């Protein structure tokens, strides 16, 4: 009987052909002291995304693909990914980001000690200066806390989120009625309401 992986990396994509190769390359170069798997969750791509994914099967032997085309949106894709995952913990990432060196090991380590984890964002490498000027540098030295949400607790961006399977099941998954965004904010606040702390993992960089 094959042992369940310690971590399932859930890579969300929809028409990500232009950028997903960079993310897959970064994931292919990760190392881990524990078994892990990569689950690419396709939210209805109509471009070459899945062809590009197939090119990485020889470099990421644990790679699987899940079909999330039945409904649009990140919440739906996240829930499909969590349902199909075999890992004892889940780490979500997106097709237009790039995980840093050591991200996999850092997330796996953090999720041994904490139920809900957020990675650190490094925004300069992939973003234009005007984007950074507009959005700032959130989640670089702590969890997300917008001035607009003064008085509300911080949260974790969905593209950087890690959670144990037990915690995910207790939280109840992502609310698929929240469109087109903010499902990650709602998820984190539901985690807090369920009694979980949100942990910032600066060694895990995206």
């Amino acid at each position: 009987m094959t042992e369940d992986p310690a971590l399932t990396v859930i890579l969300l994509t929809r028409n990500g052909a232009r950028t997903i190769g960079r993310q897959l390359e970064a994931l292919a170069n990760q190392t881990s002291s524990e078994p892990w798997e990569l689950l690419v969750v396709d939210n209805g791509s109509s471009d070459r995304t899945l062809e590009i994914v197939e090119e990485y099967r020889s470099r990421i032997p644990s790679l699987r693909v899940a079909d999330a085309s039945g409904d649009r949106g990140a919440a739906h894709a996240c829930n499909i990914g969590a349902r199909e995952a075999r890992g004892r913990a889940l780490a979500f990432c997106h097709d237009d980001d790039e995980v840093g060196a050591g991200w996999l090991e850092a997330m796996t380590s953090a999720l041994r000690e904490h139920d809900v984890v957020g990675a650190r964002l490094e925004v300069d490498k992939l973003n234009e200066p005007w984007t950074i000027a507009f959005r700032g540098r959130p989640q670089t030295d702590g969890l997300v806390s917008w001035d607009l949400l003064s008085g509300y607790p911080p949260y974790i961006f969905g593209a950087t989120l890690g959670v144990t399977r037990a915690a995910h099941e207790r939280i109840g998954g992502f609310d698929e009625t929240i469109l087109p965004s903010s499902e990650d904010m709602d998820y984190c606040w539901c985690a807090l309401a369920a009694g979980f702390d949100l942990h910032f993992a600066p060694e895990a960089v995206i």
Side-chain angles (χ1 to χ4, degrees):
M1 183 175 179
T2 304
E3 181 184 4
D4 288 337
L7 184 73
T8 296
V9 176
I10 298 174
L11 172 54
L12 307 185
T13 188
R14 179 172 180 266
N15 291 334
R18 187 174 63 86
T19 58
I20 196 171
R22 179 176 56 216
Q23 181 69 289
L24 290 166
E25 188 70 22
L27 288 165
N29 290 326
Q30 297 290 307
T31 59
S32 178
S33 58
E34 297 190 59
W36 67 286
E37 66 170 351
L38 172 61
L39 181 64
V40 177
V41 182
D42 181 49
N43 195 211
S45 295
S46 57
D47 62 2
R48 293 188 59 253
T49 296
L50 293 181
E51 294 176 39
I52 296 169
V53 170
E54 289 300 319
E55 294 172 1
Y56 280 83
R57 283 199 182 272
S58 62
R59 297 186 56 197
I60 309 175
S62 62
L63 189 156
R64 295 189 292 127
V65 175
D67 180 12
S69 61
D71 202 356
R72 294 289 169 83
H76 175 69
C78 284
N79 285 336
I80 293 292
R83 187 184 72 193
E84 297 293 328
R86 297 169 180 161
R88 299 188 297 275
L90 318 171
F92 297 91
C93 60
H94 288 183
D95 62 8
D96 59 349
D97 295 325
E98 179 182 349
V99 297
W103 170 84
L104 179 64
E105 190 71 68
M107 286 297 282
T108 303
S109 177
L111 285 163
R112 289 192 207 105
E113 304 295 329
H114 307 276
D115 287 293
V116 187
V117 170
R120 179 169 70 86
L121 281 177
E122 193 290 314
V123 301
D124 291 271
K125 182 176 182 180
L126 301 182
N127 290 281
E128 297 292 338
W130 69 265
T131 306
I132 299 170
F134 177 72
R135 293 182 177 175
R137 291 180 168 83
Q139 207 168 308
T140 57
D141 56 6
L143 302 182
V144 186
S145 183
W146 301 113
D147 291 341
L148 182 64
L149 299 173
S150 178
Y152 289 86
Y155 70 101
I156 298 167
F157 282 135
T160 72
L161 177 69
V163 61
T164 62
R165 176 178 295 282
H168 176 78
E169 292 175 354
R170 185 167 156 188
I171 292 164
F174 292 83
D175 186 345
E176 298 185 22
T177 67
I178 298 177
L179 293 171
S181 62
S182 299
E183 75 289 333
D184 46 7
M185 183 191 303
D186 175 78
Y187 185 90
C188 289
W189 291 350
C190 287
L192 291 170
F196 298 107
D197 293 326
L198 309 183
H199 175 73
F200 181 61
E203 300 85 3
V205 179
I206 292 184

